[in-house]
Amino acid sequence: MSAAELDLSQPAIVVEDLRRSFGALKAVDGVSFSINHGSVVGFVGANGAGKTTTMRILATLDHPSSGIAKVGGHNVVHYPAKVRRLLGWMPDSFGTYEHMTVLEYLDFYARALGYKGAERVQRIQEVMDFTDLTPLADRLSNKMSKGQTQRLCLGRALLHDPQILIMDEPAAGLDPKARVELKRLIRILADEGKTILISSHILSELGEMCDTLLFIDKGRIVHHGDAESMTRTSATPETLVNVQISGEPAKLIEWALTAPLVKVVDETKRGARLRIESTDEAVLAGTLKRMIIDGLLVTDFHREERRLEDAFIDMLGQIDKGSFKGETAGNVTPQIPPPLPPQ
Ligand code: ATP
C-alpha cells in the first residue's frame, strides 16, 4: 500500500535548513541532508546532539521551527498522513500494554492501520516470522526481554510494509547476541531496498552496517560520508600503533609523554595505543628503535586502523578549535538537490 505513494524522482529523505528550538535552546540548528532510496544511513552524535529531535520531525511527531523536511517526496508538515503511510518509526523507547500478548499487540496495531480479515492475519504472521516472534505469540508483551521487546517494536514499525524506516537507538541496551540479530534483520530490510535511517552510539557497528554516516554535533551536521572517509578525516598525517610491553604499561605512557611526534590515544592492558604524527615508515621504525634503546621491553608493535570513535572525537576537537578540514555543514549542502516544485 505504501509504494504507490512513493515519489522515486525525489530522494527518500530530504532535510533543508531544518531548525527546532525549545525556548532559547537550538536543538536542531540548520540541518541539511538528503538520503537516496535504498540507502542505509547511520545518524551519529553525542547525547543531546539533536538526533531524536530531527527524527521525530521526520516521523511527523513534532513540527520544525523552520526549514523543510520531506519523506518520500512529501513535506512532513503539510502531508503527515502520506508520510506516515510510507514510514516505519521505531522510537528509542516504547510502551507495551499489560495483559496484551504479542499477537494481540500486533493485531491491535494492524487493525489501527486498516488491515482487515485474512490480509491482517497474513500480515501479522509475516511480521512475526520475520522478527522471530512466532514462538512468543502468546507471551504477554510486557513480560519479554529487551531484545524481544525491540523485535516487537520493529515488527510494529513494519506492519504496513513501509519503504522508509527511521530507527532511534534500536541497539541500545541489547546484549551482543541480540545486537547481531538486529543487525541481521536490518541487513535483510536493506537488501529488500528499504531506506533506513538509524541512530546509534555504537559507532563501530554503524560503520559496518551503513552505507554512509551522518554526524551531528550541537544541532548541526558536521560530516556526511562513508565510514572510510570519516576515518580519513584527520587534520595531520598520522599512524596509530598498538604497542605492548613486558612490565608496567605506565612505563610506556611515561615514555610517550616525552617522545617527539607521539601521543597516547588510550591505555591498554599491556601497553597503549599511540598516535604517531607521521605516515613515514622511517619515522615509525625510528619510534620503535627509540623505545628499545630507551629500555622498553617491546613485545608487540603493530599498526591499527583508525577507529570511528577516535575519528569522531578527533573531529569534534578540531571543530571546537576551528581547525576542522573535513566536510562541514556548509559543504554537505551540495548533496541537497535543487529546490523542489510545490506538491
Ligand atoms: P540522545 O543521544 O541523548 O538521545 P539526541 O541527539 O537524540 O540525544 P535530542 O533528544 O534531539 O538529542 O535533544 C537535543 C536537545 O534538545 C537536548 O539538549 C535536549 O535536552 C533538548 N530537547 C529535546 N526535546 C526537548 C523538549 N521537548 N523540550 C525541551 N528540550 C528538549
Side-chain angles (χ1 to χ4, degrees):
M1 82 175 164
S2 54
E5 307 246 6
L6 191 63
D7 182 352
L8 289 169
S9 70
Q10 300 193 29
I13 298 177
V14 177
V15 170
E16 284 179 64
D17 199 23
L18 196 73
R19 293 170 197 269
R20 175 65 164 114
S21 298
F22 298 105
L25 180 89
K26 292 176 178 173
V28 177
D29 189 16
V31 161
S32 298
F33 60 85
S34 83
I35 297 178
N36 292 331
H37 292 278
S39 301
V40 182
V41 176
F43 201 19
V44 188
N47 289 122
K51 302 180 296 293
T52 300
T53 306
T54 306
M55 289 175 139
R56 280 174 49 82
I57 292 171
L58 287 169
T60 74
L61 297 170
D62 192 11
H63 274 196
S65 306
S66 66
I68 294 172
K70 291 187 175 193
V71 170
H74 307 293
N75 187 305
V76 297
V77 175
H78 301 144
Y79 300 95
K82 285 187 179 178
V83 169
R84 283 178 207 143
R85 276 197 287 276
L86 291 172
L87 188 82
W89 162 244
M90 195 171 160
D92 58 348
S93 60
F94 86 121
T96 47
Y97 301 101
E98 240 179 291
H99 311 307
M100 208 183 232
T101 65
V102 165
L103 180 59
E104 287 164 348
Y105 183 89
L106 291 172
D107 187 60
F108 173 83
Y109 280 98
R111 283 170 194 268
L113 285 162
Y115 281 103
K116 290 189 173 60
E119 193 193 7
R120 187 175 72 243
V121 173
Q122 187 190 337
R123 188 62 202 141
I124 292 170
Q125 193 55 55
E126 283 167 2
V127 161
M128 286 203 306
D129 287 346
F130 177 72
T131 51
D132 202 17
L133 286 171
T134 306
L136 300 174
D138 297 325
R139 176 78 63 88
L140 286 176
S141 58
N142 62 338
K143 295 272 188 292
M144 300 201 297
S145 72
K146 176 79 184 167
Q148 293 162 344
T149 308
Q150 282 302 74
R151 281 190 274 134
L152 180 57
C153 188
L154 178 62
R156 187 184 89 181
L158 292 175
L159 272 174
H160 58 306
D161 194 20
Q163 288 304 303
I164 301 168
L165 260 177
I166 297 188
M167 311 169 89
D168 193 4
E169 290 283 348
L174 297 188
D175 66 30
K177 187 164 167 274
R179 287 215 302 269
V180 167
E181 180 53 23
L182 182 74
K183 243 170 30 180
R184 191 182 69 81
L185 296 181
I186 291 172
R187 206 59 260 172
I188 296 173
L189 293 167
D191 290 345
E192 284 175 9
K194 296 198 189 297
T195 307
I196 305 176
L197 177 64
I198 170 173
S199 75
S200 174
H201 289 123
I202 308 167
L203 284 187
S204 46
E205 285 197 355
L206 274 187
E208 284 168 26
M209 212 176 356
C210 299
D211 303 315
T212 57
L213 296 175
L214 197 53
F215 282 78
I216 185 168
D217 180 48
K218 301 190 187 95
R220 299 182 66 84
I221 300 296
V222 293
H223 185 88
H224 189 180
D226 58 19
E228 246 184 37
S229 74
M230 181 66 209
T231 50
R232 278 198 308 263
T233 305
S234 168
T236 49
E238 61 174 35
T239 309
L240 284 180
V241 288
N242 192 323
V243 183
Q244 295 192 2
I245 60 168
S246 170
E248 275 302 304
K251 280 191 193 162
L252 175 62
I253 309 290
E254 218 172 278
W255 177 88
L257 291 177
T258 56
L261 301 179
V262 178
K263 297 228 158 45
V264 177
V265 178
D266 51 45
E267 267 183 66
T268 60
K269 212 168 150 195
R270 297 206 167 80
R273 294 171 67 234
L274 303 178
R275 174 182 297 136
I276 301 176
E277 288 172 352
S278 172
T279 47
D280 184 344
E281 298 207 325
V283 174
L284 303 188
T287 305
L288 173 59
K289 189 173 167 192
R290 190 170 307 118
M291 280 179 189
I292 294 165
I293 291 172
D294 289 345
L296 291 170
L297 300 174
V298 180
T299 56
D300 191 23
F301 181 102
H302 66 267
R303 280 192 237 202
E304 265 195 1
E305 288 294 314
R306 195 152 175 266
R307 293 199 300 218
L308 267 176
E309 280 85 350
D310 299 331
F312 184 46
I313 289 165
D314 217 35
M315 186 179 72
L316 295 184
Q318 289 170 38
I319 289 167
D320 284 344
K321 284 192 285 181
S323 62
F324 182 59
K325 296 208 174 55
E327 290 181 53
T328 60
N331 52 16
V332 170
T333 308
Q335 297 183 27
I336 307 297
L340 304 165
Q343 303 181 67

